[in-house]
């Protein structure tokens, strides 16, 4: 079993014992999503820590989108609950990259793609640059932020 999944289960047990309902709810739903991911496909498998991080990132994104939807519908109490759950799950993700660090990674990726192509990449090569950047970012920055940084560099 992945070390991160074991940590989530241990934290769930502690949250239940300490009667932390928001934390316990967020961890329960995340562990359910992990189990679903493990049994999807043709055969059951055990997830690696990287795969667990991807599932947690997806769950955080779901919570943020739900919070925005609830806030837009005037249900502030439900929106606050979703935001609190996303904050709980963000504690399990690696530290997010700052704008300077992200810009440096994008610059390096653009230089690498330019070297491969023999010319400066343009908007048409955005996918190639994104592939290089995403391999280095590995969940430490939101995909939208990465895409915006790459787009700004390729203009």
């Amino acid at each position: 079993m992945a070390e991160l999944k074991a940590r989530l289960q241990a934290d769930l047990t502690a949250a239940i014992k300490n009667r932390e309902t928001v934390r316990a709810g967020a961890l329960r739903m995340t562990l359910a999503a992990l189990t679903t991911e493990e049994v999807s496909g043709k055969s059951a498998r055990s997830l690696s820590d990287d795969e667990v991080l991807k599932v947690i990132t997806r769950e955080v994104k779901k919570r943020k989108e739900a919070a925005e939807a609830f806030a837009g519908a005037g249900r502030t109490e439900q929106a606050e609950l979703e935001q609190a759950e996303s904050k709980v799950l963000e504690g399990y993700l690696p530290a997010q990259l700052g704008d300077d660090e992200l810009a440096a990674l994008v610059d390096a990726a653009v230089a690498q793609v330019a070297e491969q192509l023999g010319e400066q990449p343009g908007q048409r090569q955005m996918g190639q640059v994104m592939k290089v950047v995403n391999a280095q970012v590995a969940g430490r920055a939101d995909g939208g932020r990465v895409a915006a940084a790459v787009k700004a560099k390729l203009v």
Side-chain angles (χ1 to χ4, degrees), residues 110-128:
V110 168
Q112 182 179 342
V113 171
E115 187 177 303
Q116 291 172 355
L117 296 174
E119 62 184 18
Q120 189 65 19
Q123 288 292 331
R124 287 183 174 210
Q125 289 81 23
M126 183 173 172
Q128 293 172 314

Side-chain angles (χ1 to χ4, degrees), residues 14-57:
I16 292 171
K17 286 181 181 177
N18 295 330
R19 300 184 193 277
E20 300 173 34
T21 55
V22 173
R23 185 175 191 77
L27 293 173
R28 264 194 195 109
M29 284 191 270
T30 303
L31 286 168
L34 288 170
T35 303
T36 302
E37 186 74 20
E38 286 176 336
V39 297
S40 67
K42 293 185 179 188
S43 63
R45 61 192 171 93
S46 194
L47 299 178
S48 69
D49 276 342
D50 287 339
E51 292 170 320
V52 172
L53 279 176
K54 286 179 185 173
V55 172
I56 293 172
T57 303

Side-chain angles (χ1 to χ4, degrees), residues 45-86:
R45 61 192 171 93
S46 194
L47 299 178
S48 69
D49 276 342
D50 287 339
E51 292 170 320
V52 172
L53 279 176
K54 286 179 185 173
V55 172
I56 293 172
T57 303
R58 191 170 54 230
E59 290 297 310
V60 168
K61 185 176 180 184
K62 282 182 192 176
R63 301 295 184 291
K64 287 184 179 181
E65 289 172 355
E68 286 177 22
F70 283 127
R75 298 185 61 193
T76 56
E77 190 175 302
Q78 195 68 28
E80 289 170 4
L81 175 66
E82 293 291 335
Q83 288 173 340
E85 287 181 354
S86 75

Side-chain angles (χ1 to χ4, degrees), residues 132-148:
V132 173
V133 174
N134 282 332
Q136 296 170 344
V137 168
R140 296 181 296 159
D142 181 52
R145 255 182 80 206
V146 174

